[in-house]
């Protein structure tokens, strides 16, 4: 004969507690894995001695702001992006390097940002998206004269987009800018 405690079976209470604990754990795990907007504010010291400070911030789309995309937005493969890039500021040795908004507003679902140097030029590399929507966006800064942006898949075997932007306003005060991005 089974012993009842306060009219209940002890094992039934155990299973209810186990089920409740499992549900709470699953909810917490789901909350932790939900995607968060990417943000990074960091200063890098490059081998040449240049200090590069970068502030990059995404935010969640406001109601009705983000629309379904098939192309033109990096980091999603169709559907509606969850985030938009709000801020992309770059300072080289305390002097702002301007990257116009149109060159970063189409980048979303970023997961990493790295700064390096190649032949004296600052390289900013963003990676984001996943599966078919995965991308690498590489900005090669040409002094203060302009930059080149290349976008490719997660493994850069093929360039999907290449843009070169020259800062013509710098031509007046920096004659080296006339030759563009080296």
């Amino acid at each position: 004969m089974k012993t009842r405690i306060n009219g209940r079976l002890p094992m039934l209470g155990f299973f209810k507690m186990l089920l409740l604990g499992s549900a709470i754990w699953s909810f917490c795990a789901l909350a932790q894995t939900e995607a968060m907007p990417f943000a990074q504010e960091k200063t890098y010291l490059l081998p040449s001695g240049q200090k590069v400070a970068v502030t990059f911030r995404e935010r969640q789309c406001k109601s009705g702001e983000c629309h379904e995309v098939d192309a033109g937005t990096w980091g999603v493969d169709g559907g509606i992006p969850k985030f938009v890039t709000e801020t992309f500021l770059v300072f080289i040795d305390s002097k702002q390097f301007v990257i116009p908004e149109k060159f970063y507003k189409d980048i979303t679902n970023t997961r990493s940002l790295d700064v390096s140097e190649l032949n004296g030029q600052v390289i900013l590399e963003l990676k984001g998206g996943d599966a078919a929507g995965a991308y690498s966006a590489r900005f090669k800064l040409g002094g203060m004269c302009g930059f080149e942006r290349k976008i490719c898949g997660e493994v850069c075997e093929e360039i999907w987009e290449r843009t070169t932007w020259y800062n013509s306003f710098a031509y007046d005060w920096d004659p080296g800018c006339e030759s563009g991005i080296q």
Side-chain angles (χ1 to χ4, degrees):
M1 178 165 234
K2 295 182 181 176
T3 306
R4 293 181 180 261
I5 301 174
N6 294 333
R8 295 188 179 151
L9 294 171
M11 288 303 286
L12 185 59
F14 171 75
F15 285 117
K16 284 182 180 178
M17 291 297 287
L18 185 62
L19 185 61
L20 179 62
S22 177
I24 291 171
W25 183 84
S26 296
F27 177 76
C28 291
L30 179 63
Q32 288 178 350
T33 59
E34 189 173 312
M36 298 292 294
F38 180 78
Q40 181 171 311
E41 190 166 341
K42 189 173 178 180
T43 300
Y44 299 82
L45 181 59
L46 300 180
S48 67
Q50 293 184 95
K51 283 186 183 178
V52 179
V54 179
T55 300
F56 186 92
R57 238 183 341 268
E58 289 180 331
R59 65 170 170 75
Q60 288 196 328
C61 292
K62 295 175 185 169
S63 179
E65 176 183 23
C66 295
H67 305 284
E68 189 164 348
V69 295
D70 283 332
T73 300
W74 302 107
V76 292
D77 183 31
I80 300 172
K82 293 179 183 178
F83 311 115
V84 291
T85 302
E86 177 177 56
T87 305
F88 190 17
L89 300 172
V90 179
F91 292 87
I92 301 173
D93 293 328
S94 300
K95 190 173 183 181
Q96 185 173 6
F97 185 97
V98 178
I99 296 178
E101 188 176 282
K102 68 181 181 179
F103 292 106
Y104 63 81
K105 280 295 188 182
D106 62 346
I107 295 174
T108 187
N109 296 332
T110 306
R111 66 174 179 275
S112 70
L113 185 153
D114 191 38
V115 176
S116 60
E117 189 173 38
L118 181 64
N119 300 326
Q121 289 185 303
V122 175
I123 308 293
L124 306 169
E125 187 165 27
L126 298 134
K127 290 185 180 275
D130 64 358
Y135 70 89
S136 291
R138 184 176 241 207
F139 291 80
K140 181 169 72 170
L141 310 185
M144 290 301 194
C145 305
F147 62 86
E148 177 181 75
R149 177 180 102 154
K150 289 182 184 176
I151 304 219
C152 56
E154 198 165 16
V155 177
C156 274
E157 294 176 0
E158 174 182 329
I159 303 298
W160 295 341
E161 178 186 291
R162 180 180 175 179
T163 306
T164 303
W165 182 77
Y166 296 104
N167 183 356
S168 61
F169 299 109
Y171 292 176
D172 293 337
W173 54 269
D174 186 352
C177 285
E178 291 180 29
S179 61
I181 308 293
Q182 299 300 321

